[in-house]
Amino acid sequence: MARIVQKYGGTSVGDVERIKKVAERIKAIRAEGNELVVVVSARAGVTNELIARAKAVCDLPSDRELDQLLAIGEQETIALTAMALHGIGVPAISYTGAQAGITTDTVHTKAKIKDIDASALEKDLSAGNVIIVAGFQGVNDEGQTTTLGRGGSDLTAIALAAAIKADKCEIYTDVDGVYTADPRVVKTARKIEEISYDEMLELASSGSKVMQSRSVEFAAKYNVVFEVRSSFNHNPGTIVKAEVASMEKVLVRGVAVDKDQAKVVVSNITDKPGSAARVFRALADAYVNVDMIVQNIGRAGVANLTFTVPQTETQKAVRALEPIVKDLGGTVSIYEQVAKLAVVGVGMRTHSGVAATLFQTLADAGINIQLISTSEIKIAVVIALDKADEAARLAHKAFGLDA
Ligand code: ASP
Ligand code: MG
């Protein structure tokens, strides 16, 4: 007998037919003698719809009321999943986040989990029930409903798995697992069998998002091993776990492309101590997320600063920089026809030449590199948007990832 936490995402519980399929899957796993705690998301699209309705009645909905509203998406699916199980003779009971003992801090719409008191859940579990928990929500010390940030059902599942010391944690989604590249772009992409937390986080921040990043960070912190797999078939998925020595044998685990980035160039700004600090302070104060940064060598008392921001934040960035360029001189230009390509792998730590191989591959195809950034396990470049797919295919091949 094993204790298993499963999480089903929005498409897996997207309508009543899908919910019945999930119930059948749960029934079969329980019949093998396992204990099951199941976390569900809202039906796909429901959270977005609720947010749209909130904005339709008020320009700036309060975060507290948003949480009251958003929490209902998951409350629909927990009750329906429990009923679907009853319908096929499986004892089940649904829990809201509060009922599951998930307490959070007071930051509405992006609350952090503080503690989980699983005593009620444990009691119902030993009575033979399947427990269905609403993902993405909790309760703060004042009894207010909170939510855990978009995609937060992943976090609910990982945190519950840690709290009840589950033997297994399975994240069910609509893809078979984590791939070496986006299979829609790179036809030769393969499913990755095992990936480290760090690689998974770097791939996610580089544009191939399968799970909420905070949930992966949480899993790394509490060493929760989990599997990402599909609820639409029975194929094995991808195991995400702490790094082991054998993982270093692979130079590059995966290639990611992010097409939602824009390049910002602040040119001819006065070259003196504090200029860069002012630029990035203004951006930080406006909550603009800056990624890659390059400053060229100043000439004739002026310098250029180039960096990337999410495309959705370019206008915010321009507005934040207006007073600064007025003061320090210079001009701000935005380039949206760019993409970020990243290769990620823990093997880079112990092998040299990964950067050279990537740059040569791009050079041979006549693809110009506009910006470069690296971490211990990642090399990322900004290139022209219309070259992104080709570059991904070439890098995938160059690092031996083709099937
Ligand atoms: N329903 C929430 C969202 O769409 C949480 C989740 O699906 O994980 O962000
Ligand atoms: Mg999700």
Side-chain angles (χ1 to χ4, degrees):
M1 187 192 84
R3 177 171 270 207
I4 305 175
V5 171
Q6 300 187 324
K7 179 253 171 177
Y8 292 92
T11 39
S12 300
V13 291
D15 55 39
V16 289
E17 286 314 312
R18 289 298 319 159
I19 290 174
K20 283 174 154 176
K21 291 248 163 58
V22 163
E24 289 293 348
R25 189 181 278 265
I26 293 170
K27 181 178 183 172
I29 295 166
R30 182 170 178 275
E32 291 164 9
N34 300 305
E35 278 183 336
L36 272 165
V37 174
V38 177
V39 175
V40 292
S41 289
R43 286 182 293 117
V46 165
T47 308
N48 286 341
E49 263 169 48
L50 292 171
I51 292 174
R53 273 186 228 163
K55 289 192 173 146
V57 293
C58 174
D59 286 342
L60 205 70
S62 99
D63 286 341
R64 180 192 182 276
E65 299 308 328
L66 264 178
D67 278 353
Q68 293 278 82
L69 181 69
L70 298 191
I72 69 172
E74 273 71 12
Q75 276 165 230
E76 178 194 0
T77 47
I78 51 168
L80 289 175
T81 306
M83 291 171 190
L85 284 163
H86 298 164
I88 53 174
V90 179
I93 179 160
S94 71
Y95 276 39
T96 63
Q99 289 166 339
I102 300 172
T103 46
T104 71
D105 64 15
T106 55
V107 186
H108 283 292
T109 76
K110 36 183 173 298
K112 288 204 169 66
I113 295 177
K114 285 205 311 193
D115 188 38
I116 297 182
D117 172 3
S119 48
L121 191 149
E122 289 281 3
K123 215 166 134 218
D124 274 324
L125 207 53
S126 31
N129 290 292
V130 173
I131 318 288
I132 315 292
V133 181
F136 174 57
Q137 55 175 264
V139 64
N140 68 21
D141 287 339
E142 286 135 39
Q144 309 287 324
T145 298
T146 53
T147 64
L148 309 175
R150 295 307 305 271
S153 298
D154 292 333
L155 182 57
T156 304
I158 302 280
L160 271 174
I164 66 167
K165 302 193 171 52
D167 302 300
K168 243 180 169 180
C169 179
E170 299 172 335
I171 306 291
Y172 283 92
T173 174
D174 50 4
V175 291
D176 273 3
V178 184
Y179 276 74
T180 51
D182 183 345
R184 287 166 303 183
V185 174
V186 182
K187 295 282 176 260
T188 47
R190 290 174 295 118
K191 184 168 62 197
I192 299 170
E193 268 171 46
E194 283 189 351
I195 187 169
S196 72
Y197 298 123
D198 290 344
E199 289 170 328
M200 179 92 171
L201 283 166
E202 287 281 24
L203 282 175
S205 75
S206 305
S208 56
K209 207 165 188 70
V210 187
M211 276 177 76
Q212 189 206 35
S213 293
R214 259 175 74 189
S215 67
V216 181
E217 282 159 12
F218 193 100
K221 191 163 164 199
Y222 294 96
N223 206 7
V224 178
V225 177
F226 62 90
E227 180 179 5
V228 179
R229 52 186 300 173
S230 169
S231 69
F232 293 77
N233 59 45
H234 289 275
N235 302 338
T238 300
I239 305 284
V240 188
K241 61 182 200 180
E243 190 180 329
V244 291
S246 62
M247 286 180 175
E248 288 202 336
K249 284 191 207 125
V250 177
L251 216 52
V252 168
R253 184 85 48 207
V255 176
V257 173
D258 184 350
K259 295 180 178 173
D260 297 323
Q261 294 281 314
K263 187 172 81 170
V264 182
V265 182
V266 185
S267 36
N268 298 324
I269 193 166
T270 312
D271 188 18
K272 65 172 188 202
S275 290
R278 282 194 58 190
V279 166
F280 292 104
R281 167 52 51 204
L283 293 166
D285 289 346
Y287 297 103
V288 175
N289 246 312
V290 176
D291 184 21
M292 300 158 95
I293 302 175
V294 171
Q295 176 172 356
N296 73 340
I297 298 169
R299 245 187 236 125
V302 292
N304 294 351
L305 274 170
T306 306
F307 51 88
T308 58
V309 300
Q311 250 170 48
T312 48
E313 293 176 11
T314 49
Q315 287 321 309
K316 255 200 311 190
V318 169
R319 246 176 286 133
L321 293 172
E322 260 162 24
I324 308 225
V325 290
K326 233 185 210 152
D327 205 27
L328 295 176
T331 48
V332 179
S333 329
I334 305 287
Y335 300 88
E336 292 199 329
Q337 298 304 309
V338 297
K340 185 168 83 177
L341 171 86
V343 297
V344 172
V346 291
M348 280 179 212
R349 271 200 215 110
T350 42
H351 295 79
S352 56
V354 177
T357 301
L358 177 64
F359 300 162
Q360 191 61 53
T361 303
L362 297 175
D364 291 346
I367 299 171
N368 190 40
I369 300 172
Q370 306 178 18
L371 289 173
I372 299 169
S373 83
T374 62
S375 81
E376 237 193 332
I377 64 165
K378 175 177 84 175
I379 298 166
V381 294
V382 167
I383 55 177
L385 181 63
D386 60 1
K387 299 282 185 198
D389 290 351
E390 184 193 352
R393 286 190 282 270
L394 291 169
H396 196 265
K397 182 156 191 254
F399 289 105
L401 295 174
D402 278 4

